[in-house]
Amino acid sequence: PIENNLAELWSAFDFIMPGYLFNYARFKKTFETPIAAENDSGAVKALQSCVAPFILRRMKKDVLSELPDKTETILRTAMKGEQRKLYAANVSKLRDGIKGGLGEKRTDRVKILAELTKLREICCDPSLIYENFKGKSAKLEQCAELVESCVNSDHKILLFSQFTSMLDIISKRLDDMNISYCTMKGSTRPKERIRLVNEFNENDVKVFLISLKAGGTGLNITGADIVIHYDPWWNVSAENQASDRAYRIGQNRNVQIFKLIVQNSIEENIIRLQRSKSELSELIYGKAADITKMSAGEILELLE
């Protein structure tokens, strides 16, 4: 019931049982603010005791005990040369803007989100936003090495990215490496999705490139035993849903998940945000960092 903030939990309960979690003002004062801002364990336990009797939660590990193991590894790499300079320049520009008042107006949040997205794109490959960029992307090089190693060891790979244009860049690199692949994006029609899934599962296609949101639900791609997340998403549950396209009924091999992260960048801080919310996510079912509601100070922390 929760994807971005505790208000979503209150809204669901207020629809089903009006007044059970009080009016929103009291809920915010009693639960939301103490939990989100102060990590108040007492408030967490009190809210859990209120909602737990009405929530049935079944974990995959409890109902599918026959599934093989799933392991997760974070692989870090460092930007160098022109990529590092472009990233530093964009961080400096955004930091100066926030210190100068950017973010005080509600309309500024869209601008800030656009600038944060630009930083994430530079981490992926600066050519996503700088057409004349001729240098190397540290992450693309790392990804190519990982894919080549996995393919040579007879593994099949799901590779996710939020940026469809990044999938285009990766596909060109796979062409150069003579590695077979298929691609699914949000624009891919339902019948074509089924065909691509069957082709990957049944044939000798080595890599399945999928945009994160297009591969979030409804696909059974157990032909793969390697999952690569090229770039991290603010909401870790979206990544987990994507990974579970391979880790589901029918999978008979151990599944290895790799997350590619650029060191000393916004990506490391996204991972830090995910981890800081993980304990609360387990307690109150899915709370995630909501970038649109971060304070100026919290956004500055992302740029450190």
Side-chain angles (χ1 to χ4, degrees):
I2 306 170
E3 201 163 303
N4 292 306
N5 54 65
L6 286 176
E8 295 172 344
L9 181 68
W10 174 85
S11 179
F13 270 86
D14 194 62
F15 176 76
I16 298 168
M17 297 187 294
Y20 178 71
L21 291 180
F22 321 119
N23 59 40
Y24 178 62
R26 183 176 173 185
F27 175 85
K28 184 174 183 179
K29 181 179 179 180
T30 306
F31 296 118
E32 186 174 14
T33 298
I35 292 173
E38 304 165 16
N39 197 25
D40 187 325
S41 59
V44 170
K45 291 179 181 179
L47 181 56
Q48 184 186 36
S49 67
C50 288
V51 302
F54 304 100
I55 297 178
L56 174 63
R57 191 185 194 198
R58 297 194 302 169
M59 302 295 289
K60 181 176 289 187
K61 61 184 179 181
D62 298 326
V63 297
L64 296 176
S65 57
E66 72 277 11
L67 277 178
D69 292 336
K70 178 177 69 171
T71 56
E72 182 178 300
T73 303
I74 293 179
L75 299 180
R76 290 178 168 82
T77 189
M79 290 182 288
K80 299 177 181 178
E82 193 65 21
Q83 185 181 19
R84 180 79 244 177
K85 292 178 182 178
L86 286 171
Y87 183 86
N90 279 272
V91 166
S92 179
K93 174 185 174 184
L94 179 54
R95 184 182 287 121
D96 290 344
I98 292 173
K99 290 180 178 179
L102 181 65
E104 294 178 358
K105 298 178 182 179
R106 183 179 294 272
T107 54
D108 288 345
R109 293 309 174 114
V110 175
K111 297 178 183 177
I112 290 175
L113 183 57
E115 291 301 316
L116 293 176
T117 300
K118 184 182 294 185
L119 292 178
R120 296 176 59 230
E121 289 178 300
I122 293 174
C123 289
C124 291
D125 191 317
S127 63
L128 289 173
I129 51 178
Y130 296 103
E131 293 183 2
N132 60 345
F133 178 76
K134 301 300 180 183
K136 289 187 176 182
S137 162
K139 182 182 284 194
L140 182 59
E141 297 304 312
Q142 179 193 44
C143 182
E145 291 178 7
L146 176 60
V147 168
E148 185 175 37
S149 175
C150 291
V151 169
N152 289 340
S153 300
D154 201 29
H155 295 287
K156 300 186 72 170
I157 304 164
L158 301 185
L159 198 160
F160 292 97
S161 175
Q162 183 209 347
F163 305 107
T164 56
S165 49
M166 189 66 231
L167 295 180
D168 294 335
I169 293 174
I170 295 173
S171 67
K172 292 177 183 178
R173 188 61 176 267
L174 293 178
D175 286 333
D176 294 338
M177 298 166 66
N178 198 29
I179 293 176
S180 58
Y181 65 90
C182 51
T183 305
M184 181 186 299
K185 302 178 181 179
S187 58
T188 306
R189 295 181 179 275
K191 288 185 178 179
E192 178 65 6
R193 295 187 183 203
I194 295 173
R195 187 193 68 78
L196 290 171
V197 168
N198 291 336
E199 179 182 356
F200 179 80
N201 283 334
E202 299 169 6
N203 299 325
D204 196 33
V205 180
K206 297 299 184 182
V207 182
F208 204 152
L209 304 176
I210 312 178
S211 61
L212 185 65
K213 296 304 176 67
T217 58
L219 301 174
N220 189 335
I221 319 179
T222 52
D225 61 340
I226 299 289
V227 178
I228 299 175
H229 288 284
Y230 191 85
D231 42 86
W233 180 236
W234 302 103
N235 191 340
V236 71
S237 65
E239 292 181 7
N240 293 338
Q241 279 189 332
S243 297
D244 284 350
R245 298 314 95 210
Y247 191 67
R248 56 194 295 127
I249 294 174
Q251 181 58 266
N252 53 26
R253 293 172 293 173
N254 292 340
V255 174
Q256 175 69 58
I257 300 169
F258 294 100
K259 294 186 176 185
L260 308 187
I261 301 297
V262 172
Q263 291 177 337
N264 302 316
S265 75
I266 189 174
E267 292 189 336
E268 281 203 324
N269 289 312
I270 291 174
I271 295 296
R272 176 181 57 81
L273 278 171
Q274 290 178 351
R275 286 177 172 172
S276 70
K277 302 297 183 181
S278 62
E279 182 177 352
L280 190 56
S281 298
E282 288 302 308
L283 289 174
I284 314 180
Y285 313 111
K287 188 176 189 323
D290 184 2
I291 187 62
T292 64
K293 292 181 172 60
M294 284 185 174
S295 67
E298 288 171 327
I299 295 172
L300 283 173
E301 286 183 9
L302 289 175
L303 306 178
E304 293 300 327

